[in-house]
Amino acid sequence: MKKAYLPLLKLTAAPFVLSAAMISIPAYAQDATAAADEAGEDTIVVTGSRIARPELEGSSPVQVLNEASIVQQGSQNIADILNEMPSVGTGMGRTNTNFATSGNGVAQVNLRNLGANRTLVLVNGRRVVAGIGGTSAVDINNIPTDLLERVEVLTGGSSAVYGSEAMAGVVNFILKDDFDGIRGRVQAGITDEGDNGRQLLGLTIGKNFADGRGNITIAGQYDRDTGLRSNKRKISAEDVPFRSGYAPQGQFFVGDDNYTYDPAGNLKEGFDTAVDGYNRNGDRYIAVPLERYLVNGLAHFDFSDSLTFFAEGTYAKVKSRSRLEPYAFDNSDAQLPDGTILPGLAFDNPFIPQTLLDRAAALNSDGDPDNDVSEIGFTKRSNGVFDRSNRAEREFYRAVAGFRGTILTDWNWDAYYNRSQTIENTASETALRDRLYYALDAVGADPATAVCRDAAARAAGCRPLNIFGANAASPESIAYITNDGQLSTYRAKINQDVFAANISGPIFRLPGGDVKVAAGVEHRTERSSEVYDAATQSGNTLSNALTNTKGKYRVFEAYGETVVPILSDVPFAEYLGIEAAVRYGDYYDTVGSVWSYKIGGDWAPTPDVRFRAVYSRATRAPNIGELYQGASQTFPSGLTDPCEGVTATSTRSQDAYCRTIPGIAQQIAANGTFEYDDNLDRQSIEGEDSGNLNLKEETAKTWTAGVVLTPRFVPNLSITVDYFNIKVKDAIQLIPRQTTIDECVASAGTSPLCNLIVREQVGTPRPRTPGTLYQIDAFPINSANIETAGIDVQARYKTSWGEDSSLDIALLYTYLDKLTLQSIAGQAVQNNRGQLDGDGRLGAGFKHRANLSVTYQTGPFSLNWRTNYQSKMKDTLGPDADSPLGDSTNSIKAYWYHDVQARFAVEKDRLEFYAGIDNVFDKKPPVINQNGASNITGTETAADSYDPFGRNLYVGAVFRF
């Protein structure tokens, strides 16, 4: 046994030690048997197998989140609860999508930090369409919180049972489909700072009919999250460590001199970034606002004891928006369709202040040709002209209809059709590049008589644009360059159609019991399209240049599964059995045939101890975006250039090559060293992402092995300890841009990856330093190897006394032993355990994560105390000791978060009131400035891993009748 695992020997005592100290977390149910017993059933179909049996008797570990534990956390969105589970990694959510060009506020679940595309999400055991165009990642916002009966999380590869995407595991949302009565909930919450208000209204109505043979349940939910502005928190109120050199009043360049305007509107020489720069965090969101409307319907009717019709329907509308600082532009953003860039403002532009013209004239007449100036350069922000923040609206539709029943007494079957669709519409204000070109190129005797230089543009309505000073632009020029408020638009449409049939039952009996089999077929069609407005596609807006994506694939799958109980109820074999499954898939539009399989077994020498293990081969076919994505402009951050700091005599291994780059050589000759301007160079690096039709499927080999303890001498105690190991081969990923940069420089410019890099040229019309990285492109390839391993521990203990008093203790803990990424074969393996999230990384790899919950109940009163633990992080992935990504920036201590909720029921549980506090001790997030690897823009921290809100209070009520 590795020394790293030795602390786990103490974990069986952890629930008792921690509860004694009153450190606690969510009351997760550790077995589905309890849920089955409550429903009056002996066995249920639990995620991980198509064959019905209690969860603790399966070879695959399943974590079950029951209704009670959902209620105790007071969350209006189930995504918030899932993201606190130790096995769930960093995913897209409301705290990291402010700068997304689409999908703002989307909520994804990312098991094991292997990516949301490698986590399969099901509702009632059936697939759900993706929530973002081109992907297979489901938007959890579409799941109704108040209609959930339980959530089952299978943490291991399960492609053999459910198909592609189940490499990291499966999250299965089980809805109440037999509800009888009326249940309503109202809740409101706010932080103790008086912001981030959240409200919820929910109503569920169900009715049994025909003597209980049928049921119809309808549930509606409305909730709103007002979001949180960056300037509402001290940690993120200001840009750290520097403001932007693109200011609303403008910055103007005459040779090596620069000028700007003071707050009183007076032109001055020099630009002090700390004083004159723009505080972008004054505009941004820490968390985007979210508004949800959900309607769900479920129905079933028993025509006989052996035939049932069932149907499900869902409609969800999710509204969100981003809040971004106005667009930063310079003369290079003024561009004609033929690629001509405005070199700067010509001297006959009547808006140029005389001071700048006089300085240009002095430089041109000093006899030194190196000082000659031919135009005025500038940087500017579009305040008062247009707002590039976007507004997003997503609509989700899902309909399922089918039949289920029994044949031959004990064989179960079902067949159904499942259709779901997501439509997203996102829009933002913008300006047109060619119109900006014409409007900036003004002529005239004075500002009052200024006109656009180009006659054709004048005839088409061009009005000259004045950029000197804040709010200097006229309404007419604004209307012209924005084409009267033309919007940049994005529309995504994702469809999924599934036909499936399954059958299961016993085939013969062994000494241990019935040998059971399950088999099924499925045909699935996935379609996705992403369409941008014409100006965005052509790159003629002042937003990212994006092109359309359209594609589809079809897959036919067939599977078989068996459970073989070899022995039972004999000495040293309370149970001994094996299980196996195999699945064949034919992606006849893309990668062709794929195979998945699993084999496992479990042995219970006594009723108190059960050992289990399963080995599987999982697959994931490339999704539509990975295959067909059109070129999409992006602006990466956190990149470092190995050439930075090179001098004429420096002797680092890369320096000789770096000095051969023309722009770098020029800078060394002029300044002695090659350095980046933080305000201009780092903030303007861009790139393009695109798809790759030559991709093949990913494969993964997964192991889980563990023990289940249910000691009879301690009734109501269950403990599971499971080892997991997942190795993904040929993983599809965009080549990390930092990898591209490092490989190109290390190869002295000979690597093919160098073709993806553009450095700023000498004589650039852009106000950037020659030689700096300007554009780094990326496309996906089957290049990566990913491995993660560790141990999951679950424990639950419940004791009761008297007639109505109880204590319930539950623990979830994950020890992460390994989380590694090798982006390209032959490269060094990158250790992501203990590292923060960042470009090209797997996510926040906490070595230890734990949730503990203690619930005390007496009569109508209950009190729940929960705690979440995240171990320390220390980023060691910076390329140099003095790198801005170095250890000092990203060293973070361990974090404990505490939540509490109290409930009081009246009128025989018909009316219940509750109140709670999240982050009881108002734990502040760690400061991670703009140079940090995991900094989320606008938050100055890793807001998707640490709570950026602070203490949050909420109250609510539930009524039933």
Side-chain angles (χ1 to χ4, degrees):
M1 178 177 291
K2 294 182 180 180
K3 292 183 179 180
Y5 293 151
L6 292 178
L8 298 173
L9 298 176
K10 303 177 181 179
L11 286 171
T12 55
F16 308 103
V17 175
L18 293 176
S19 64
M22 285 306 292
I23 304 172
S24 46
I25 65 162
Y28 292 99
Q30 264 66 54
D31 65 83
T33 309
D37 291 343
E38 292 172 7
E41 301 172 355
D42 294 325
T43 59
I44 55 176
V45 176
V46 177
T47 306
S49 174
R50 301 275 188 173
I51 298 173
R53 57 202 154 144
E55 178 267 334
L56 289 180
E57 295 182 6
S59 63
S60 299
V62 178
Q63 300 171 354
V64 180
L65 179 65
N66 65 13
E67 182 181 3
S69 55
I70 295 172
V71 166
Q72 287 166 354
Q73 298 192 56
S75 293
Q76 59 193 44
N77 195 321
I78 189 64
D80 294 337
I81 299 176
L82 288 174
N83 286 331
E84 291 184 353
M85 297 181 71
S87 58
V88 176
T90 305
M92 291 181 66
R94 59 195 177 106
T95 56
N96 62 6
T97 55
N98 184 50
F99 272 74
T101 55
S102 61
N104 306 96
V106 73
Q108 297 178 349
V109 58
N110 170 18
L111 289 176
R112 304 292 189 208
N113 273 321
L114 295 183
N117 281 324
R118 299 186 183 99
T119 300
L120 181 60
V121 173
L122 308 173
V123 172
N124 290 338
R126 293 179 279 270
R127 284 181 173 267
V128 183
V129 73
I132 297 180
T135 76
S136 57
V138 173
D139 186 0
I140 308 302
N141 286 317
N142 299 321
I143 305 298
T145 309
D146 283 4
L147 197 58
L148 284 171
E149 179 176 298
R150 65 184 185 275
V151 184
E152 299 173 350
V153 181
L154 170 68
T155 52
S158 193
S159 292
V161 177
Y162 291 105
S164 189
E165 287 89 49
M167 302 188 84
V170 177
V171 179
N172 191 6
F173 296 94
I174 309 298
L175 305 182
K176 301 170 185 173
D177 65 352
D178 204 18
F179 184 82
D180 191 23
I182 299 176
R183 180 186 186 275
R185 178 162 74 117
V186 58
Q187 179 176 310
I190 196 169
T191 72
D192 63 357
E193 298 284 342
D195 48 31
N196 190 223
R198 305 182 78 182
Q199 302 88 35
L200 175 144
L201 295 171
L203 182 65
T204 304
I205 302 174
K207 179 64 178 176
N208 292 325
F209 61 92
D211 297 324
R213 292 165 56 198
N215 177 273
I216 296 177
T217 299
I218 298 175
Q221 179 176 326
Y222 168 80
D223 59 73
R224 184 169 71 106
D225 181 327
T226 58
L228 183 65
R229 292 277 299 278
S230 297
N231 62 9
K232 296 298 183 180
R233 292 295 180 270
K234 182 178 180 180
I235 187 177
S236 56
E238 294 282 339
D239 274 0
V240 179
F242 44 79
R243 290 187 169 196
S244 171
Y246 290 73
Q249 74 274 14
Q251 182 178 181
F252 308 96
F253 305 93
V254 184
D256 293 331
D257 301 329
N258 58 344
Y259 297 80
T260 190
Y261 287 83
D262 64 22
N266 301 309
L267 184 68
K268 66 172 187 175
E269 186 174 0
F271 187 94
D272 183 348
T273 304
V275 176
D276 304 310
Y278 189 67
N279 179 28
R280 296 161 296 174
N281 277 4
D283 297 311
R284 296 165 173 170
Y285 274 129
I286 291 175
V288 299
L290 201 67
E291 190 172 20
R292 300 194 302 163
Y293 305 80
L294 294 90
V295 178
N296 283 264
L298 298 97
H300 63 83
F301 182 77
D302 299 333
F303 291 102
S304 67
D305 291 341
S306 59
L307 181 62
T308 298
F309 169 78
F310 63 90
E312 303 171 14
T314 300
Y315 170 76
K317 177 183 284 189
V318 178
K319 296 181 178 181
S320 186
R321 62 158 298 173
S322 69
R323 188 177 181 96
L324 310 178
E325 65 275 14
Y327 189 81
F329 67 96
D330 54 56
N331 55 280
S332 67
D333 287 291
Q335 185 172 329
L336 297 179
D338 64 2
T340 301
I341 294 174
L342 186 72
L345 302 183
F347 293 152
D348 57 355
N349 187 310
F351 296 116
I352 299 176
Q354 190 60 44
T355 299
L356 304 188
L357 294 174
D358 291 344
R359 179 57 182 159
L363 291 173
N364 291 339
S365 61
D366 66 359
D368 185 352
D370 291 338
N371 292 333
D372 287 356
V373 179
S374 57
E375 64 274 320
I376 306 297
F378 68 89
T379 64
K380 178 77 172 177
R381 197 166 290 278
S382 66
N383 298 60
V385 179
F386 69 93
D387 181 0
R388 67 183 177 125
S389 306
N390 63 41
R391 291 169 174 81
E393 181 176 292
R394 291 184 295 280
E395 291 186 285
F396 170 81
Y397 307 84
R398 184 172 185 263
V400 179
F403 292 89
R404 61 174 177 255
T406 59
I407 57 175
L408 302 176
T409 306
D410 48 9
W411 280 74
N412 300 310
W413 64 271
D414 69 88
Y416 62 88
Y417 169 60
N418 175 3
R419 177 174 176 80
S420 49
Q421 179 183 84
T422 299
I423 298 175
E424 175 175 346
N425 288 290
T426 296
S428 61
E429 298 176 10
T430 191
L432 302 182
R433 292 184 186 276
D434 57 348
R435 292 194 173 205
L436 180 63
Y437 183 103
Y438 293 129
L440 285 170
D441 192 16
V443 294
D446 55 61
T449 60
V451 296
C452 301
R453 186 188 305 274
D454 188 273
R458 289 199 305 271
C462 180
R463 296 293 183 269
L465 178 66
N466 181 7
I467 60 170
F468 290 92
N471 301 312
S474 69
E476 294 79 13
S477 63
I478 294 172
Y480 171 71
I481 67 169
T482 63
N483 196 22
D484 293 320
Q486 176 177 321
L487 299 178
S488 290
T489 61
Y490 165 83
R491 179 178 174 84
K493 186 175 183 181
I494 315 127
N495 289 315
Q496 182 184 81
D497 291 273
V498 181
F499 294 89
N502 306 281
I503 189 168
S504 63
I507 53 175
F508 59 87
R509 189 169 183 83
L510 290 176
D514 290 333
V515 175
K516 296 180 179 180
V517 297
V521 294
E522 179 180 294
H523 186 277
R524 178 162 49 97
T525 303
E526 303 271 0
R527 298 180 179 87
S528 180
S529 64
E530 299 173 87
V531 178
Y532 299 90
D533 62 281
T536 296
Q537 294 179 53
S538 66
N540 195 34
T541 69
L542 295 190
S543 301
N544 293 10
L546 305 167
T547 55
N548 296 343
T549 298
K550 185 175 182 180
K552 76 170 185 177
Y553 65 82
R554 296 165 295 171
V555 55
F556 169 80
E557 296 180 288
Y559 76 91
E561 182 183 6
T562 185
V563 173
V564 182
I566 300 171
L567 296 172
S568 66
D569 299 322
V570 298
F572 303 108
E574 180 71 18
Y575 177 82
L576 174 64
I578 60 174
E579 62 183 80
V582 63
R583 190 180 192 98
Y584 166 77
D586 184 5
Y587 289 81
Y588 43 91
D589 297 311
T590 56
V591 298
S593 300
V594 299
W595 288 90
S596 304
Y597 58 83
K598 77 167 186 176
I599 184 167
D602 52 317
W603 170 46
T606 74
D608 307 81
V609 180
R610 178 180 293 264
F611 299 97
R612 59 188 181 186
V614 63
Y615 172 78
S616 68
R617 181 185 191 270
T619 59
R620 185 182 78 87
N623 59 41
I624 291 171
E626 290 165 337
L627 291 166
Y628 302 106
Q629 179 182 325
S632 300
Q633 188 180 34
T634 185
F635 293 89
S637 60
L639 299 177
T640 59
D641 185 354
C643 288
E644 186 170 9
V646 62
T647 68
T649 58
S650 57
T651 58
R652 297 178 303 178
S653 60
Q654 69 267 33
D655 289 350
Y657 163 69
C658 294
R659 284 189 285 265
T660 68
I661 298 171
I664 294 178
Q666 182 204 58
Q667 291 301 301
I668 293 174
N671 305 311
T673 187
F674 172 62
E675 299 288 350
Y676 276 65
D677 184 312
D678 287 334
N679 293 324
L680 300 177
D681 299 325
R682 297 192 197 280
Q683 297 177 20
S684 57
I685 298 173
E686 62 180 66
E688 286 186 349
D689 296 340
S690 58
N692 181 3
L693 290 172
N694 296 315
L695 293 172
K696 63 180 182 179
E697 73 275 10
E698 301 177 340
T699 60
K701 295 179 179 179
T702 72
W703 272 101
T704 59
V707 60
V708 180
L709 305 175
T710 53
R712 286 168 290 177
F713 58 87
V714 185
N716 301 315
L717 171 66
S718 65
I719 300 172
T720 68
V721 181
D722 291 282
Y723 169 80
F724 65 88
N725 182 282
I726 304 174
K727 296 179 180 179
V728 184
K729 182 181 178 182
D730 297 325
I732 299 169
Q733 66 161 10
L734 288 171
I735 303 174
R737 286 178 165 81
Q738 190 63 58
T739 297
T740 298
I741 298 165
D742 294 343
E743 285 290 300
C744 178
V745 173
S747 71
T750 62
S751 169
L753 293 178
C754 294
N755 295 326
L756 300 176
I757 297 176
V758 176
R759 288 184 178 268
E760 196 62 76
Q761 300 297 307
V762 174
T764 173
R766 290 178 284 267
R768 302 183 79 255
T769 303
T772 55
L773 296 165
Y774 172 59
Q775 181 170 329
I776 307 100
D777 296 336
F779 60 88
I781 58 176
N782 291 98
S783 66
N785 293 311
I786 302 171
E787 183 175 2
T788 184
I791 289 182
D792 290 327
V793 177
Q794 305 179 65
R796 188 179 185 189
Y797 176 70
K798 185 173 183 178
T799 184
S800 302
W801 61 92
E803 294 185 358
D804 54 5
S805 295
S806 64
L807 182 68
D808 196 343
I809 305 169
L811 170 73
L812 285 181
Y813 166 82
T814 294
Y815 168 75
L816 184 62
D817 180 55
K818 180 179 290 188
L819 183 64
T820 62
L821 169 66
Q822 185 182 36
S823 297
I824 299 175
Q827 269 201 335
V829 175
Q830 186 183 88
N831 177 25
N832 278 207
R833 188 186 78 157
Q835 309 296 327
L836 296 164
D837 196 10
D839 183 51
R841 300 189 185 183
L842 295 174
F846 291 101
K847 185 176 179 180
H848 303 278
R849 287 189 73 189
N851 300 155
L852 181 71
S853 171
V854 175
T855 304
Y856 169 73
Q857 182 166 353
T858 179
F861 174 79
S862 68
L863 178 68
N864 174 260
W865 188 280
R866 306 180 304 278
T867 193
N868 298 325
Y869 172 75
Q870 298 177 155
S871 60
K872 65 182 180 180
M873 299 289 246
K874 187 172 184 179
D875 195 302
T876 59
L877 298 182
D880 301 303
D882 59 351
S883 165
L885 302 184
D887 294 351
S888 61
T889 299
N890 290 324
S891 291
I892 298 173
K893 63 184 180 181
Y895 264 67
W896 293 88
Y897 290 109
H898 300 271
D899 307 327
V900 64
Q901 186 192 88
R903 307 182 75 89
F904 185 78
V906 296
E907 296 186 14
K908 297 181 179 179
D909 295 336
R910 290 185 178 273
L911 180 62
E912 187 176 27
F913 297 97
Y914 61 92
I917 304 173
D918 292 336
N919 196 353
V920 172
F921 301 113
D922 196 23
K923 187 73 171 178
K924 305 299 184 185
V927 177
I928 306 174
N929 66 34
Q930 294 167 14
N931 286 332
S934 66
N935 174 267
I936 295 174
T937 306
T939 72
E940 309 306 332
T941 189
D944 51 6
S945 295
Y946 301 95
D947 178 10
F949 304 101
R951 186 182 294 114
N952 181 76
L953 306 93
Y954 62 89
V955 295
V958 178
F959 66 85
R960 306 176 183 88
F961 56 85

